[in-house]
Amino acid sequence: MSNSKNKWLIPLAFTNIYVIWGITFLAISFGLKGFPPFILSGLRFLVAGMLMIGYLLSKGEKANSLINWKKNAVTGILILTGGTGLVAWGEQYVTASEAAIAIATGPFWFIAIDKKNWKYYFSDKFIPIGLVIGFVGLVLFLKGSVNSNAHAAADGNLRITAFIILGLSSIAWVLGSLYSKKNPASQSTFMNIAQQLIVAGLASFLIAFFRKEWSGFSVSEVPLQAWFGVLFLIFFGSIIAYLSYIWLLSVKPAALVSTHTYINPIVTVIAGWIVANQSINGGQLYGLFVILLGVLLTNVTKYFRLSKRSKVKIRRVRRFFNRAGRRYQPI
């Protein structure tokens, strides 16, 4: 029963992180039509976290460890407030498609920051080659973006600043991920996520206060499409897709789960074109493919090893059944 359930859940979970996280960039752009960026992020995280922790507490799970709250606070502020909140700020000046492509450089930052594993990374010839190709792709993409008129209201300097901020958001996500890996909280993954969301939401509201986003903001003036964006971000982006991602990491190799990095920008571009008439120019499109090629090369050895291991396991299973068949042949 468990196996058949997993077979059904695995493709569903992959669909969630491929499609939902791709559409999330577009949902943020809709939310920004009525909410300032950090109010939008705070509302999305806090509501999602409160719903999750309320459910877990009703099931009898405890949330009274200050140490766990502290660890999840650091992770939540880095990954969610910094990693995702800065995306909302950046999308004031760039399109959803451009933001998704800029975030696709995340794996490069992971390799650059994870100094402990540099020896392993750079012993693989494909990784430095992928890094160089990805950097070239990023330059091509930024060149095409600065010349783009997709955001007529934003001048070139603001757009460049937005892309820098999006790069910082990737770095914050990586730092939070590395911290979480080295400092795991001693409770369920669901409770960790709930606490991360709650702290990230409060931190986002605090930033909104210092940025004076609350002054002049009126809930009654928020258009319907912005509310639809927020609801999508709460239930699909912050709960369903995030939980799918964490669950997949527990049942599938991380290298396989990370393939969402390649798919999300493509989904965003397609969704932006269909729903919001967003488009990217030839230079941006060319840069996108070069970036994705670089990301693929930095991980190609891991995928090859995973495939090789799978084939070895299959051969072992076949040999086992072949021996068993010969041993118990009818006389």
Side-chain angles (χ1 to χ4, degrees), residues 16 29 35 86 140 171 199 207 222 258 260 272 275 288 319 331:
N16 288 340
S29 69
F35 294 92
L86 290 177
L140 291 172
I171 294 173
V199 174
I207 293 172
V222 176
S258 71
H260 76 87
V275 178
L288 166 62
R319 283 199 298 267
I331 299 174

Side-chain angles (χ1 to χ4, degrees), residues 50-128:
M50 294 301 292
L51 289 172
M52 286 186 64
I53 203 169
Y55 173 79
L56 294 170
L57 292 175
S58 71
K59 294 294 183 180
E61 191 164 347
K62 304 294 183 182
N64 54 3
S65 169
L66 292 178
I67 294 177
N68 287 333
W69 273 103
K70 179 183 176 181
K71 290 179 178 179
N72 286 321
V74 175
T75 301
I77 289 172
L78 285 171
I79 291 181
L80 298 172
T81 307
T84 307
L86 290 177
V87 172
W89 184 90
E91 283 199 39
Q92 295 175 108
Y93 310 108
V94 303
T95 66
S97 301
E98 291 170 333
I101 295 169
I103 295 299
T105 59
F108 303 134
W109 295 117
F110 191 96
I111 292 171
I113 294 172
D114 192 12
K115 187 176 179 180
K116 184 179 178 181
N117 291 307
W118 274 2
K119 186 176 180 180
Y120 162 73
Y121 292 142
F122 293 103
S123 65
D124 181 348
K125 64 181 179 181
F126 287 107
I127 290 178

Side-chain angles (χ1 to χ4, degrees), residues 130-277:
L131 289 173
V132 172
I133 290 175
F135 180 77
V136 171
L138 183 60
V139 172
L140 291 172
F141 169 71
L142 291 176
K143 184 179 178 181
S145 298
V146 172
N147 297 330
S148 171
N149 59 359
H151 262 257
D155 62 31
N157 290 332
L158 270 177
R159 286 172 60 75
I160 292 173
T161 302
F163 285 118
I164 293 172
I165 293 297
L166 289 168
L168 291 176
S169 75
S170 291
I171 294 173
W173 184 285
V174 170
L175 289 172
S177 300
L178 291 174
Y179 175 86
S180 177
K181 187 174 182 179
K182 295 175 182 177
N183 303 274
S186 57
Q187 55 192 6
S188 75
T189 300
F190 294 137
M191 180 59 76
N192 290 337
I193 292 173
Q195 292 179 355
Q196 290 166 19
L197 286 165
I198 290 172
V199 174
L202 294 174
S204 297
F205 280 149
L206 186 62
I207 293 172
F209 172 77
F210 284 113
R211 293 188 73 245
K212 298 181 179 180
E213 289 185 358
W214 294 100
S215 61
F217 171 70
S218 174
V219 174
S220 61
E221 295 178 4
V222 176
L224 189 60
Q225 60 181 334
W227 283 114
F228 282 136
V230 170
L231 289 174
F232 183 92
L233 292 171
I234 290 171
F235 292 101
F236 291 92
S238 297
I239 296 180
I240 295 176
Y242 200 20
L243 287 177
S244 297
Y245 176 74
I246 297 299
W247 178 76
L248 278 173
L249 286 176
S250 68
V251 298
K252 287 292 178 181
L256 184 60
V257 180
S258 71
T259 52
H260 76 87
T261 305
Y262 318 138
I263 308 299
N264 290 159
I266 298 170
V267 171
T268 306
V269 170
I270 295 172
W273 175 61
I274 294 173
V275 178
N277 294 320

